[in-house]
């Protein structure tokens, strides 16, 4: 008891002393503890080493004034403003709004742009200037909201493009101007529940009744229902129906007709059934729907007849006798979509990178030594390699997208195959690049990347569909390789030089790669191009040998190519990445001074990071492990050299600051409690 009593007395004494102390005031408790002070990217960067205005013009490629006017139109209307708290107005979308609300506000935004004259001449003026203006407008809409650009794209590029390219004067006179004015609202019914990429296999059936001179459209089974049709669920009044055309009992293949699905009051037309595809992981401002047709009759004149026609008596006529060529002509509207998607993907990569890099130039984490300031995220070599390699690729791909647009805008019928191959490969390459960029930027922004107002995380769901629509990326890459393989086999058979797009180098001796790599050699543009050409040549020769061996064992040529898909996809990637490099080199050659110097650094980082990440060079012995290690080290060195230019390069992308999320600006002020209450 005595020991216990002493212990209790001791504890009571300790508690008494504790309670007798005067607690310090909050002010005293925080004395000497500094709060984090926001430092802007501009404060943490040096003066630009090159002219940002010149670089921006190079990146956009054209119509800079049109783009600025388009952004200004958005600023003038609250339909485009995102309420995030505080006094700063951001351009953006409320992704948390109800499905119906997102769809209606997307339509309201389109009508505002129509009323502002943005779409004037889009379908009725056929000049290069109009084409480039249209491209710029769509790229601005895509930067603001994917739903806005896709809603407009379905109406103008798919519906309007089908009327323009597949129709003739009677269709142009009746439909193009009214389409520009949104007097009707068009959609594009190609994809079915059972068939997407394989358009030849669609099951919707159209027959002809010569007694009434009408076509009759039917959905014969559930797998034939038209699916994912943008605009069909709510707003569209007319659609282009792709179906198997039967004339006199003979299937003449896939053809396109104009069909009304709603009247001007929104009432669904007789024989048409419509259902909603519902909520999606993104793109919810577009009302995707499903369509069924039950003996729906349309006038004979509604057949889009630039490729083939049916006479009043019911005779099928076409100037293209080859069914494969005829089918290819019907796929023309998709080329526009692939070009648009490829370019839009690069612009979205720019949004993600501009946000993540600006944040990395203002956010600090950890100190290298005690009592020293925390380090800017972008001063960590690991963070540089995460973001600056993607920035270099985005620059190169932006130049490739600009070149593709110019080729497409100046196209002739003879360019059809070249454009198909180029657009297919670049659509796949650039959209894959975007998804990787969006994910890396989301992670690089930490928890802030998860907030929809900061966009980088939301971009993944909004643009994921780019990898699927207008052609699955893996299918497109195999189409590229099959086209290259066919031309290669043809040249061997004819014992003539290879003339396929981009394969002229195959007629020259195989490049010889020096054993010793130096920094100067690795940054040499001729050496870089030779490496990319070597990879493409090696993969094409391997694919040809693989297919030939399979055919010699009794496998059909089509199945042999199918079984060689791994080589085929890698060849498609090699071809497309080489096209990107060639576009970069062409643009770089036209520049001088500091712009040319920085473009050289970007090009080298693009090339060497592609090589560093591609297993093909080591897999097939194009490089040794020692050479590969030297390239790996050079990538890190290039990232360090580009670090001082990071902000200037981001500013040159031409993305308005109010179009980026709050973390691209003063994120401390934005998240202050007073802004919470605002």
């Amino acid at each position: 008891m005595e020991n216990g009593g002493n212990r209790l007395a001791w504890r009571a004494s300790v508690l008494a002393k504790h309670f007798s102390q005067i607690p310090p005031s909050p002010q005293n408790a925080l004395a000497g503890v500094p709060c984090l002070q926001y430092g802007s990217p501009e404060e943490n960067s040096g003066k630009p080493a090159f002219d940002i205005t010149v670089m921006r013009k190079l990146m956009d490629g054209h119509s800079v004034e049109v783009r600025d006017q388009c952004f200004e139109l958005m600023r003038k209307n609250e339909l485009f403003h995102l309420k995030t708290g505080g006094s700063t107005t951001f351009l953006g979308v409320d992704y948390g709004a109800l499905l119906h609300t997102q769809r209606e506000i997307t339509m309201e935004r389109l009508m505002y742009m129509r009323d502002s004259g943005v779409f004037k001449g889009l379908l009725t003026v056929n000049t290069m200037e109009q084409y480039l203006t249209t491209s710029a407008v769509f790229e601005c809409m895509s930067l603001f909201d994917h739903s806005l650009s896709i809603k407009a794209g379905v109406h103008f590029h798919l519906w309007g493009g089908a009327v323009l390219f597949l129709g003739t004067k009677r269709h142009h006179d009746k439909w193009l101007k009214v389409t520009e004015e949104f007097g009707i609202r068009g959609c594009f019914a190609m994809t079915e529940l059972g068939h997407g990429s394989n358009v030849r296999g669609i099951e919707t059936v159209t027959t002809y009744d010569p007694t009434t001179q009408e076509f009759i459209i039917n959905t014969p089974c559930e797998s034939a229902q038209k699916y994912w049709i943008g605009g069909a669920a709510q707003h569209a009044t007319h659609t282009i129906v792709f179906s198997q055309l039967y004339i006199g009992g003979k299937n003449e293949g896939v053809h396109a007709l104009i069909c009304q699905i709603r009247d001007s009051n929104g009432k669904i037309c007789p024989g048409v059934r419509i259902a909603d595809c519902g909520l999606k992981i993104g793109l919810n401002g577009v009302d995707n729907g499903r369509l069924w047709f039950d003996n729906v009759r349309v006038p004979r004149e509604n057949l889009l007849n630039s490729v083939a026609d049916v006479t009043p008596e019911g005779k099928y006529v076409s100037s293209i006798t080859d069914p494969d060529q005829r089918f290819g002509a019907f796929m023309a509207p998709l080329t526009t979509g692939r070009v648009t998607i490829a370019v839009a993907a690069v612009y979205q990569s720019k949004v993600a990178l501009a946000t993540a890099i600006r944040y990395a130039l203002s956010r600090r984490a950890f100190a290298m030594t005690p009592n020293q300031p925390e380090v800017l995220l972008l001063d960590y070599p690991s963070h540089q390699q995460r973001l600056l390699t993607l920035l270099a690729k985005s620059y190169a791909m932006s130049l490739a997208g600009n070149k593709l647009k110019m080729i497409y805008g100046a196209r002739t019928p003879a360019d059809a195959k070249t454009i198909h191959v180029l657009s297919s490969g670049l659509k796949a390459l650039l959209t894959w690049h975007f998804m990787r960029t969006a994910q890396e930027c989301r992670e690089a922004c930490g928890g802030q990347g998860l907030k929809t107002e900061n966009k980088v995380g939301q971009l993944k769901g909004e643009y994921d569909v780019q990898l699927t629509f207008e052609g699955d990326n893996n299918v497109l890459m195999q189409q590229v390789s099959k086209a290259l393989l066919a031309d290669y086999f043809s040249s061997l058979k004819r014992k003539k030089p290879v003339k396929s797009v981009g394969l002229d180098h195959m007629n020259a001796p195989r490049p010889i790669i020096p054993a010793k790599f130096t920094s100067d050699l690795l940054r040499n543009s001729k050496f870089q191009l030779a490496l990319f050409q070597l990879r493409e040549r090696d993969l094409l020769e391997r694919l040809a040998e693989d297919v030939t061996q399979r055919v010699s064992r009794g496998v059909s040529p089509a199945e042999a190519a199918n079984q060689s898909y791994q080589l085929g996809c890698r060849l498609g990637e090699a071809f497309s990445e080489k096209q990107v490099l060639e576009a970069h080199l062409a643009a770089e050659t036209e520049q001088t001074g500091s712009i040319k110097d920085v473009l050289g650094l970007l090009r080298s980082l693009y090339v060497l990071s592609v090589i560093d990440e591609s297993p093909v060079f080591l897999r097939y012995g194009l490089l040794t492990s020692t050479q590969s290690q030297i390239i790996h080290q050079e990538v890190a060195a290039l990232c360090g050299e580009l670090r001082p230019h990071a902000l200037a390069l981001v500013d040159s992308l031409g993305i308005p600051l109010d179009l980026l999320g709050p973390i691209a600006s003063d994120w401390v002020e934005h998240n202050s409690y007073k802004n919470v209450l605002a």
Side-chain angles (χ1 to χ4, degrees):
M1 285 294 295
E2 184 178 351
N3 289 339
N6 291 339
R7 185 168 181 80
L8 286 173
W10 173 78
R11 291 183 65 187
S13 173
V14 170
L15 288 172
K17 290 179 180 179
H18 174 74
F19 286 119
S20 67
Q21 293 178 359
I22 301 174
S25 67
Q27 182 177 357
N28 290 335
L30 294 175
V33 181
C35 286
L36 184 148
Q37 297 296 314
Y38 171 79
S40 71
E42 289 75 15
E43 293 170 341
N44 292 320
S45 302
K47 183 180 178 181
F50 56 87
D51 191 326
I52 290 175
T53 302
V54 173
M55 187 70 91
R56 185 204 166 181
K57 288 181 178 179
L58 182 62
M59 285 295 98
D60 280 334
H62 60 87
S63 311
V64 171
E65 296 80 8
V66 172
R67 298 171 196 274
D68 290 341
Q69 291 167 7
C70 202
F71 293 134
E72 196 57 39
L73 271 178
M74 295 177 185
R75 293 187 184 100
K76 290 178 180 179
N77 194 311
E78 289 190 358
L79 284 169
F80 296 85
H81 298 176
L82 178 64
K83 305 297 189 296
T84 61
S87 58
T88 304
T89 298
F90 291 94
L91 299 176
V93 176
D94 180 6
Y95 294 110
L98 295 174
L99 181 63
H100 178 78
T101 302
Q102 290 193 53
R103 292 174 173 180
E104 286 305 316
I105 198 170
T106 299
M107 197 69 214
E108 290 177 33
R109 288 168 180 147
L110 275 180
M111 293 302 96
Y112 167 71
M113 298 190 78
R114 176 203 63 181
D115 295 342
S116 301
V118 170
F119 303 129
K120 187 176 181 180
L122 196 152
L123 292 171
T124 55
V125 177
N126 183 23
T127 65
M128 187 66 162
E129 182 182 3
Q130 178 61 53
Y131 167 69
L132 294 177
T133 296
T134 298
S135 297
V137 167
F138 270 82
E139 286 153 21
C140 290
M141 289 193 294
S142 180
L143 282 170
F144 172 77
D145 177 31
H146 198 206
S147 288
L148 183 65
S149 63
I150 292 302
K151 185 80 169 174
V154 168
H155 178 75
F156 287 113
H157 291 330
L158 293 182
W159 155 271
V163 173
L164 184 62
F165 297 129
L166 301 183
T168 53
K169 188 176 185 300
R170 73 187 188 207
H171 304 104
H172 300 166
D173 292 345
K174 183 175 181 179
W175 299 105
L176 292 184
K177 192 169 189 301
V178 73
T179 297
E180 267 187 20
E181 297 170 348
F182 277 90
I184 60 97
R185 298 173 183 180
C187 63
F188 189 81
M190 177 181 281
T191 299
E192 296 180 355
L193 178 62
H195 291 88
S197 296
N198 181 19
V199 179
R200 284 180 187 265
I202 61 176
E203 298 173 286
T204 301
V205 171
T206 295
T207 56
Y208 181 69
D209 182 354
T211 62
T212 61
Q213 297 187 23
E214 293 174 314
F215 290 103
I216 307 169
I217 308 172
N218 272 288
T219 303
C221 52
E222 287 298 343
S223 59
Q225 63 180 277
K226 296 297 182 181
Y227 215 97
W228 293 123
I229 312 306
Q234 203 165 320
H235 294 130
T237 59
H238 293 70
T239 190
I240 305 291
V241 180
F242 285 81
S243 63
Q244 304 290 349
L245 178 62
Y246 282 82
I247 302 297
K250 180 184 177 183
N251 185 0
E252 299 290 355
V254 176
H255 289 65
L257 301 97
I258 293 173
C259 177
Q260 187 168 358
I261 59 174
R262 286 185 180 89
D263 64 21
S264 58
N265 296 317
K267 183 179 179 181
I268 298 174
C269 294
V272 177
R273 289 177 284 148
I274 301 177
D276 201 314
C277 287
L279 196 66
K280 307 181 290 289
I281 64 171
L283 208 62
N284 283 306
V286 177
D287 50 318
N288 294 90
R290 303 148 62 189
L291 297 171
W292 293 260
F293 302 94
D294 303 319
N295 292 314
V296 176
R297 289 177 172 264
V298 301
R300 184 184 70 88
E301 292 76 16
N302 282 22
L303 177 70
L304 297 178
N305 64 338
S306 68
V307 175
D309 206 352
V310 175
T311 66
E313 300 76 24
K315 181 182 178 182
Y316 182 81
V317 292
S318 176
S319 60
I320 304 176
T321 56
D322 186 300
D324 290 337
Q325 292 181 7
R326 200 159 61 226
F327 174 76
F330 279 118
M331 296 300 101
L334 294 182
T335 303
T336 305
R338 287 173 188 158
V339 173
T340 304
I341 291 166
V343 174
V346 181
Y347 271 96
Q348 292 311 313
S349 298
K350 294 176 183 179
V351 171
L353 285 164
T355 303
I357 290 175
R358 286 186 64 87
Y359 186 57
L361 285 168
S362 64
R363 177 65 186 256
R364 297 176 179 271
F366 305 106
M368 291 295 99
T369 57
N371 302 319
Q372 292 296 314
E374 292 182 277
V375 179
L376 280 172
L377 295 184
L378 201 61
D379 284 337
Y380 285 101
S382 59
H383 215 75
Q384 292 172 12
Q385 186 151 348
R386 292 175 73 179
L387 297 180
L388 298 186
T389 54
L390 295 172
L391 182 64
K393 289 180 180 180
S394 295
Y395 259 75
M397 291 176 183
S398 185
L399 295 169
N402 290 340
K403 181 179 178 181
L404 177 62
K405 282 189 288 185
M406 295 303 173
I407 294 173
Y408 184 75
R411 70 192 179 282
T412 66
D415 299 323
K417 181 178 179 181
T418 296
I419 291 173
H420 170 71
V421 174
L422 288 174
S423 65
S424 295
L426 289 178
K427 183 265 183 183
L429 182 69
L430 272 55
T431 55
W432 271 330
H433 166 72
F434 160 72
M435 286 302 291
R436 179 189 168 188
T437 300
Q439 180 62 34
E440 196 65 62
C441 289
R442 206 296 299 156
E443 294 181 36
C445 292
Q448 290 295 325
L450 299 173
K451 297 188 71 175
T452 58
E453 68 179 14
N454 289 325
K455 296 191 176 182
V456 286
Q458 188 71 27
L459 288 178
K460 293 189 299 174
E462 291 296 313
Y463 288 85
D464 196 319
V465 67
Q466 289 182 328
L467 281 64
T468 299
F469 63 16
E470 313 302 349
D472 174 88
N473 281 0
N474 285 283
V475 174
L476 291 180
M477 280 302 189
Q478 290 180 73
Q479 287 185 10
V480 171
S481 64
K482 287 177 181 178
L484 299 178
L485 183 64
D487 286 347
Y488 181 63
F489 276 145
S490 176
S491 68
L492 293 178
K493 184 177 180 180
R494 294 181 293 108
K495 297 181 180 180
K496 298 285 186 179
V498 183
K499 291 186 177 181
S500 182
V501 56
L503 292 183
D504 292 348
H505 67 91
M506 297 284 290
N507 302 313
R510 187 182 182 93
I512 298 176
I513 305 303
K516 184 178 180 181
F517 280 4
T518 65
S519 179
D520 288 342
L521 178 67
L522 292 177
R523 299 183 187 204
N524 181 279
S525 61
K526 292 181 179 179
F527 171 75
Q528 293 167 355
L529 184 58
L531 267 178
F532 272 34
Q533 289 174 341
L534 177 61
R535 174 180 56 158
E536 183 181 44
R537 175 196 289 260
D538 188 80
L539 287 168
L540 180 53
E541 291 173 347
R542 288 177 185 277
L543 178 61
E545 181 181 3
D546 196 58
V547 169
T548 299
Q549 288 182 355
R550 293 178 190 275
V551 170
S552 70
R553 296 195 295 267
V555 178
S556 70
E559 181 57 27
N562 186 46
Q563 292 177 5
S564 303
Y565 75 95
Q566 289 178 312
L567 282 168
C569 284
R570 299 296 80 77
L571 173 59
E573 291 171 4
F575 168 83
S576 302
E577 288 173 340
K578 189 202 69 181
Q579 292 297 321
V580 170
L581 174 57
E582 289 177 343
H584 197 299
L585 287 169
E588 184 182 337
T589 302
E590 297 176 355
Q591 302 301 316
T592 59
S594 56
I595 292 278
K596 186 179 180 70
D597 293 341
V598 173
L599 286 174
L601 291 175
L602 289 165
R603 171 192 22 92
S604 293
L605 185 53
Y606 162 69
V607 171
L608 298 183
S609 61
V610 166
I611 296 172
D612 190 35
E613 295 163 8
S614 173
V616 166
F617 289 92
L618 283 174
R619 179 182 295 153
Y620 299 119
L622 304 179
L623 295 175
T624 66
S625 59
T626 299
Q627 290 171 331
S628 179
Q629 290 171 24
I630 294 172
I631 288 174
H632 187 65
Q633 294 166 359
E634 192 68 17
V635 168
L638 283 163
C639 287
E641 290 178 46
L642 278 170
R643 160 64 183 89
H645 303 293
L647 181 61
L649 289 170
V650 162
D651 288 346
S652 299
L653 298 177
I655 313 297
L657 195 54
D658 53 0
L659 202 61
L660 302 176
I663 57 167
S665 302
D666 190 342
W667 41 270
V668 175
E669 172 65 20
H670 176 77
N671 286 282
S672 66
Y673 191 65
K674 69 178 182 180
N675 280 342
V676 173
L677 299 176

